[in-house]
Amino acid sequence: MPSTHDDNLDARLQAFAASPSPAEARAIAALHDPRALPALVQAMVDEMEGPDAVAYREAVRELATPAVLADYMGGDVASRRVAAHALNARYPEHVPLIARGLRDDDDQVRAICRRSLRSWSASPALHDLFLEALQHADARVRLLAAEGLGKLGKPADLPALNAALQAESDDRVRDRLAWAVERIEGSEDSP
Amino acid sequence: MPPRLNGTLEPSGAPWYERLFANQLCSVVIGVGFDEYGSNRPQDYVVESGLIARGFVRDDHRAIEKLTAAGRPPPTRKAAHYIATAAARDAGGRPVDVVVTLTLAGDGYAGGDVASAFLEGLGRCDVAMYGGHGRYGTGPDFDYNFTADLLDDKGNVEASFSEYKDLEEYLQDRGRAKKRSALAEYRDLVAKRRLVIHRINSGNLVINLRNYHTSEFGAHLMVDQLKSDPNIRRMSKQVFDRRYRLWLFHGCRTHDYFYNLRTLNPKANAGGLDLLGTRRVVYWSHIGNTLLKLLDELMQRRTFSEILHGLSSVNPENPSDGAKGPSHVADLGKRP
């Protein structure tokens, strides 16, 4: 990814990586220098629990604009893994990148993107991704798609869900598809 | 503040090696818990490759034979078993073989099964080590915790969350305009039935439901949703035979577990139970090396003091997290 050498920034990022703090994460994010993304993502995922967890996430969100994420997603495996960690289906602008990540050659990128589908907002882009993902090769992705469509509850999705139910070979996915169909049909019947 | 045991930084003596290495065998279960962002996966690799580097080989069949021959209960749950020949020495200088059972949460898809295998290991193994989320003092966890659906006023799902940090970040954003904390926003939305929590607790082994971290949103959410689940697996319900054991819980502030492990698990304590836990937050990137460090220290028959020093050496202080000093403490049991 961006590789222009900068001794000051390199030293600052190295110091941050060795001893991260929320204040420094915010300060680094405020530089809006994409080269800082790996260090911020590392601090975010390394933090286990406690009051600082949200601060690291906010720092990543500030720096990881869709353009920065797209750039990283176009890079090497390490860059794509960094970007995948910063993706979240709550943000509609991240959805096309998640879709891309779900088809990535690297299984870790796929796995991280799969996880990002578990937290989402009901954007039209995500709805379309869920529909597409009913055909995904990975049963775990199909399961999340079924669950998402069931929660979104659109009667127009029933034909796709029923077709997927007929074709599905994985027990857990079939169970979620059946749940989604029942949920939507139930809401159609209610007064 | 709920009652608690903090453990000590200056424990005396050593693990009961005569028992740990009885019949020239030591059985160990290592569990690596689950992280919603996948931070556990690199640590799975650290542990697996670290075992191999120490001369362990995976051989489920031979491991079970060794356990049975040495009078240890064989595993019944699916897990990976590694064996190292003559990895330690007993008090008489005779070689001790070590069988390590690995229970890894992986992507959390089968967290309930992994939790069952680890729980079985807590009972049947001489040494048990867990590395992963402390879940705000509630206990080890091998899968996702919940999904939370945010509903609009017509009952449609506006957003869905599966991780407390995601939810906290969202509620913090949402509450800012009203000058409300994430917790106040959470309470308000739950009361209005706009936020519906669906529990996923099959991977939790619940040690404690006291909230030791009342200033933290995640602690409230964790304790609330576990308390309201009648089907959670409580450690206090588990039956342990009378035998010496050493347990390490390596997650954030796992000394929160000590009080309940001592007071609500009489059977686990009956044969002598030595506990090691953390006294501050720790980091995912150190988990694999911490578990391997304890294994190394035990194989070299270190004292408790040396063990705490060794564990701290792989969990350096981070000045920014406010917790200074050694990472781990011990709470030693009474030997019968």
Side-chain angles (χ1 to χ4, degrees):
Chain A
M1 284 312 349
S3 58
T4 311
H5 192 64
D6 178 339
D7 284 341
N8 288 337
L9 183 66
D10 287 350
R12 189 169 180 180
L13 293 177
Q14 275 177 19
F16 175 73
S19 183
S21 72
E24 180 65 352
R26 286 189 202 99
I28 288 173
L31 298 174
H32 295 286
D33 188 322
R35 289 171 295 178
L37 188 61
L40 291 179
V41 164
Q42 179 57 38
M44 178 183 80
V45 299
D46 208 19
E47 185 77 10
M48 297 188 79
E49 70 179 34
D52 294 341
V54 169
Y56 291 116
R57 299 159 69 81
E58 288 177 339
V60 169
R61 304 273 175 257
E62 177 165 354
L63 181 57
T65 62
V68 169
L69 289 171
D71 200 16
Y72 270 83
M73 281 300 278
D76 60 15
V77 170
S79 300
R80 300 201 304 276
R81 288 178 184 175
V82 166
H85 274 300
L87 293 172
N88 191 315
R90 279 171 49 208
Y91 304 104
E93 61 273 23
H94 288 194
V95 171
L97 296 170
I98 293 171
R100 186 168 157 186
L102 289 172
R103 293 189 291 266
D104 200 279
D105 289 341
D106 179 60
D107 64 341
Q108 279 200 44
V109 173
R110 292 198 305 272
I112 303 165
C113 285
R114 194 173 66 233
R115 277 191 292 277
S116 73
L117 277 182
R118 297 187 69 108
S119 286
W120 47 264
S121 61
S123 69
L126 188 79
H127 170 256
D128 292 349
L129 176 58
F130 280 153
L131 268 180
E132 179 192 325
L134 285 177
Q135 312 298 325
H136 199 277
D138 186 334
R140 292 166 293 193
V141 175
R142 300 198 299 275
L143 186 145
L144 291 170
E147 189 164 300
L149 289 172
K151 286 185 179 181
L152 289 172
K154 294 181 185 298
D157 294 335
L158 278 171
L161 286 164
N162 276 312
L165 186 58
Q166 294 302 316
E168 184 57 57
S169 58
D170 184 280
D171 289 351
R172 289 196 198 198
V173 181
R174 227 172 23 248
D175 179 62
R176 280 286 93 176
L177 285 163
W179 168 85
V181 168
E182 281 184 336
R183 192 173 195 273
I184 296 172
E185 286 178 343
S187 65
E188 274 188 315
D189 295 343
S190 59
Chain B
M1 174 64 80
R4 62 178 304 129
L5 294 169
N6 288 317
T8 177
L9 287 166
E10 296 174 345
S12 58
W16 202 351
Y17 287 110
E18 290 72 19
R19 298 293 173 94
L20 292 185
F21 294 171
N23 299 330
Q24 294 175 257
L25 188 95
C26 181
S27 59
V28 179
V29 63
I30 296 179
V32 179
F34 177 73
D35 178 64
E36 286 79 356
Y37 277 79
S39 300
N40 54 316
R41 305 308 294 273
Q43 300 309 307
D44 293 351
Y45 175 76
V46 169
V47 174
E48 286 170 317
S49 58
L51 287 175
I52 289 162
R54 284 161 175 77
F56 283 83
V57 291
R58 180 166 178 185
D59 189 337
D60 296 354
H61 182 70
R62 196 162 142 251
I64 292 167
E65 278 183 355
K66 281 272 181 193
L67 289 167
T68 307
R72 305 295 205 283
T76 60
R77 302 279 182 177
K78 190 180 166 193
H81 306 286
Y82 291 76
I83 186 162
T85 305
R89 297 271 161 187
D90 68 12
R94 297 177 301 170
V96 173
D97 296 341
V98 180
V99 172
V100 171
T101 299
L102 260 191
T103 59
L104 307 176
D107 67 4
Y109 203 57
D113 295 337
V114 179
S116 296
F118 182 73
L119 184 59
E120 181 188 76
L122 281 169
R124 73 173 174 77
C125 291
D126 304 305
V127 178
M129 314 177 194
Y130 166 79
H133 282 294
R135 297 300 195 202
Y136 294 92
T138 59
D141 188 13
F142 294 90
D143 66 6
Y144 286 88
N145 264 103
F146 66 91
T147 58
D149 293 335
L150 181 72
L151 309 181
D152 65 16
D153 50 12
K154 292 178 185 154
N156 301 315
V157 180
E158 267 181 20
S160 189
F161 303 86
S162 68
E163 208 247 314
Y164 51 85
K165 292 176 199 164
D166 275 335
L167 184 57
E168 181 175 11
E169 189 185 1
Y170 172 81
L171 294 174
Q172 197 162 293
D173 266 357
R174 188 185 165 105
R176 264 188 198 120
K178 301 173 214 160
K179 296 190 174 167
R180 276 211 291 238
S181 67
L183 180 61
E185 197 65 20
Y186 164 74
R187 298 274 192 232
D188 182 58
L189 287 169
V190 169
K192 289 177 179 160
R193 298 177 190 274
R194 293 275 314 277
L195 190 66
V196 180
I197 311 287
H198 307 279
R199 299 177 297 247
I200 307 171
N201 291 328
S202 60
N204 291 76
L205 299 177
V206 179
I207 292 173
N208 170 58
L209 288 175
R210 305 169 205 272
N211 189 346
Y212 287 115
H213 306 284
T214 52
S215 64
E216 293 175 34
F217 167 77
H220 288 274
L221 181 60
M222 192 67 57
V223 171
D224 284 358
Q225 61 96 15
L226 287 170
K227 265 186 179 168
S228 64
D229 185 350
N231 299 314
I232 54 171
R233 271 192 278 202
R234 300 265 344 223
M235 278 284 284
S236 52
K237 288 183 188 168
Q238 304 306 314
V239 177
F240 295 95
D241 62 351
R242 186 184 167 91
R243 193 152 62 81
Y244 174 70
R245 296 178 179 87
L246 172 65
W247 290 349
L248 164 67
F249 292 101
H250 179 73
C252 288
R253 306 171 292 197
T254 53
H255 61 168
D256 294 346
Y257 299 173
F258 288 175
Y259 183 82
N260 270 17
L261 285 172
R262 288 290 177 222
T263 58
L264 302 183
N265 288 273
K267 287 179 184 294
N269 286 280
L273 172 64
D274 290 330
L275 295 171
L276 302 172
T278 61
R279 53 180 287 278
R280 55 172 164 84
V281 297
V282 291
Y283 297 90
W284 269 111
S285 49
H286 301 143
I287 281 188
N289 286 331
T290 301
L291 302 174
L292 293 167
K293 187 69 177 174
L294 178 59
L295 187 63
D296 290 342
E297 299 285 292
L298 292 173
M299 295 309 100
Q300 293 170 59
R301 304 176 62 91
R302 302 287 197 205
T303 64
F304 279 117
S305 177
E306 289 168 332
I307 288 170
L308 292 190
H309 183 75
L311 295 175
S312 272
S313 73
V314 288
N315 289 277
E317 277 182 19
N318 177 356
S320 78
D321 65 23
K324 305 284 191 295
S327 51
H328 289 73
V329 285
D331 187 74
L332 305 183
K334 289 179 186 159
R335 292 184 185 169

